[in-house]
Amino acid sequence: MNKKKKQYKGVDFKGVLILLKDRLCLFFANVFHQIKLRAIFISKKFLRREYIPVYVAGLIFIIMAVVSGTVVIYDTNSHITSYRKMQQLFLNNKYDLEKVRNKEMDVPRIFIKTLPSDFNMIESPKEKKDLFIKFLLPLILKKNEELKGQRDRLLKIKEKIANKKSLNDEENEFFENVKREYKTETQSIDDILVKLDEMSVSMALGQAIQETGWGESRFLIQGNSIFAEWTWGGEGMLPRARKNGLIHRIKTFPTLYDSVDSYGNNLNKTRYYAGFRKMRAQLRAEGRPLVGRWLMSSMTRYSTEKDKYILDVKKIIRDNRLDDFNEVKLAPVAPDKTK
């Protein structure tokens, strides 16, 4: 036993550690050298002068795509694969409905293209209602923003004509397009303005809730149909409980906004809703807001259930305080930093 101890005492552990350290340093130095050589090779191969215009053109294309809307931040379903991701998106943007109701904040410009397939699996009724209004409200306001822009342009044209000022080419083209789109008997600007106006936000929300059951409708999940509009063209989704003698289908849309856009155009152009437009024009003339509970009284032609449908939607608007949203606005468009 004593002899073994003497043998261990003779081992130079300090020298072994120094040797190990030197070997490790040499190994890592060689690895970093190889990485450096490969980086130099790649840079020489791909970062040539003749490739620079290609890279610059690609960068410009990406920037222009984002700015023009071909690639849109928060306007794509690829990021929204579940209702929890949508909820997190709203949370990240500090989207608070109570603050919107109280006019403490504008509605963020978040435009969801299609609902995640698990939306109707949300268990909490409060959470479901909150998310439903949050995704739909920006879409309604976006359509109203478009309608208001067109209406404002037409009002300026009316003022110029009243002052006997000539219209420029752009104004003439816009005026002719509007007259073709919003046909009236007289084609007077005043008659067109009765048609060309915004939706009632609370009425649109109330009808969407009624038609989809707070997002549970298969027409909504599978076909982006928010307002269950009918079509007779042979396309669309077949209703399961369609009454005998009816041949309609439910119109489908590429995106949720397309459904909102169609609903707004339907109210403004279809002859069935002339009473709605007349009541809306009267509210405008009196300087009053487009209260959904008032305007719903004119929507007897929207559903086969007629008065019952109107009462149901009015109750939804009242119980969920949807008229609070009638005068809210979208957040201002962020300035373009590329200009």
Side-chain angles (χ1 to χ4, degrees):
M1 182 65 71
N2 292 335
K3 290 181 180 179
K4 288 183 178 181
K5 286 183 178 179
K6 289 180 181 179
Q7 289 176 357
Y8 286 124
K9 287 180 180 178
V11 177
D12 187 1
F13 287 105
K14 187 175 181 180
V16 172
L17 292 174
I18 292 174
L19 179 63
L20 182 62
K21 178 182 176 183
D22 291 342
R23 292 294 176 88
L24 286 173
C25 290
L26 183 63
F27 170 76
F28 284 114
N30 184 54
V31 169
F32 290 134
H33 180 66
Q34 293 297 324
I35 293 173
K36 180 180 177 182
L37 290 176
R38 281 159 177 74
I40 292 172
F41 171 77
I42 292 172
S43 65
K44 287 182 177 180
K45 187 174 180 64
F46 296 103
L47 297 182
R48 297 177 181 176
R49 287 184 178 180
E50 57 265 32
Y51 292 164
I52 291 177
V54 177
Y55 298 145
V56 171
L59 181 61
I60 292 173
F61 172 78
I62 293 171
I63 293 172
M64 289 179 66
V66 172
V67 172
S68 66
T70 307
V71 178
V72 186
I73 306 303
Y74 300 139
D75 192 6
T76 171
N77 193 49
S78 61
H79 299 298
I80 311 298
T81 55
S82 72
Y83 75 86
R84 294 200 180 278
K85 287 188 177 182
M86 185 167 68
Q87 193 175 42
Q88 188 61 48
L89 175 62
F90 293 149
L91 186 63
N92 292 344
N93 284 269
K94 300 178 181 179
Y95 188 0
D96 187 317
L97 281 184
E98 285 306 308
K99 288 186 177 180
V100 172
R101 286 179 187 275
N102 298 326
K103 311 296 187 296
E104 296 173 12
M105 70 172 294
D106 292 329
V107 178
R109 289 180 175 271
I110 304 174
F111 308 117
I112 305 297
K113 280 192 173 179
T114 61
L115 282 187
S117 58
D118 65 346
F119 187 84
N120 58 6
M121 297 171 65
I122 303 173
E123 295 182 358
S124 166
K126 184 180 183 306
E127 183 180 3
K128 191 172 198 175
K129 289 181 178 183
D130 187 77
L131 278 180
F132 187 90
I133 295 174
K134 279 183 175 179
F135 93 77
L136 184 53
L137 188 55
L139 299 173
I140 295 171
L141 295 178
K142 182 181 179 182
K143 176 61 178 175
N144 272 352
E145 193 175 66
E146 175 190 322
L147 291 169
K148 184 179 185 303
Q150 293 178 333
R151 183 178 174 85
D152 288 346
R153 289 184 70 181
L154 190 58
L155 285 169
K156 288 180 180 178
I157 289 173
K158 178 184 176 181
E159 185 179 355
K160 287 188 77 170
I161 293 175
N163 293 327
K164 297 181 179 180
K165 294 181 179 179
S166 59
L167 304 180
N168 59 39
D169 292 341
E170 186 178 348
E171 289 169 334
N172 268 317
E173 182 180 2
F174 172 76
F175 190 26
E176 291 302 318
N177 289 337
V178 166
K179 285 193 289 187
R180 280 194 297 270
E181 188 174 358
Y182 295 90
K183 294 178 180 179
T184 65
E185 291 183 4
T186 64
Q187 289 295 78
S188 72
I189 292 182
D190 287 334
D191 286 344
I192 295 173
L193 285 169
V194 171
K195 285 190 168 185
L196 180 50
D197 204 345
E198 299 171 47
M199 302 176 287
S200 163
V201 176
S202 57
M203 190 178 92
L205 287 171
Q207 287 192 265
I209 292 165
Q210 173 69 15
E211 297 293 347
T212 66
W214 288 103
E216 293 188 2
S217 165
R218 67 185 177 94
F219 302 127
L220 172 61
I221 299 297
Q222 298 174 21
N224 295 317
S225 179
I226 300 173
F227 301 96
E229 292 184 70
W230 289 13
T231 179
W232 292 267
E235 300 178 351
M237 298 176 66
L238 184 65
R240 290 171 182 162
R242 188 172 62 181
K243 295 180 180 179
N244 293 333
L246 296 178
I247 59 172
H248 71 278
R249 289 174 177 261
I250 301 301
K251 193 185 295 187
T252 59
F253 301 92
T255 69
L256 294 169
Y257 179 73
D258 289 311
S259 180
V260 174
D261 181 62
S262 178
Y263 167 79
N265 292 336
N266 194 18
L267 293 181
N268 283 351
K269 298 174 185 178
T270 307
R271 59 187 177 88
Y272 298 133
Y273 309 122
F276 161 81
R277 294 191 289 269
K278 183 178 180 181
M279 184 179 290
R280 179 178 62 183
Q282 184 177 347
L283 291 175
R284 285 292 193 205
E286 295 171 358
R288 303 168 79 180
L290 302 181
V291 177
R293 286 178 291 112
W294 299 343
L295 289 166
M296 269 309 299
S297 300
S298 64
M299 298 295 288
T300 54
R301 303 291 295 273
Y302 196 91
S303 170
T304 56
E305 295 182 341
K306 298 186 180 298
D307 291 339
K308 181 182 182 304
Y309 177 81
I310 289 173
L311 291 174
D312 288 344
V313 176
K314 282 185 175 182
K315 186 176 187 304
I316 289 171
I317 294 172
R318 183 180 64 251
D319 292 351
N320 296 280
R321 300 162 47 213
L322 299 182
D323 278 320
D324 291 349
F325 299 114
N326 280 327
E327 296 183 329
V328 301
K329 298 178 182 178
L330 281 173
V333 178
D336 187 353
K337 296 181 180 180
T338 62
K339 293 183 179 179

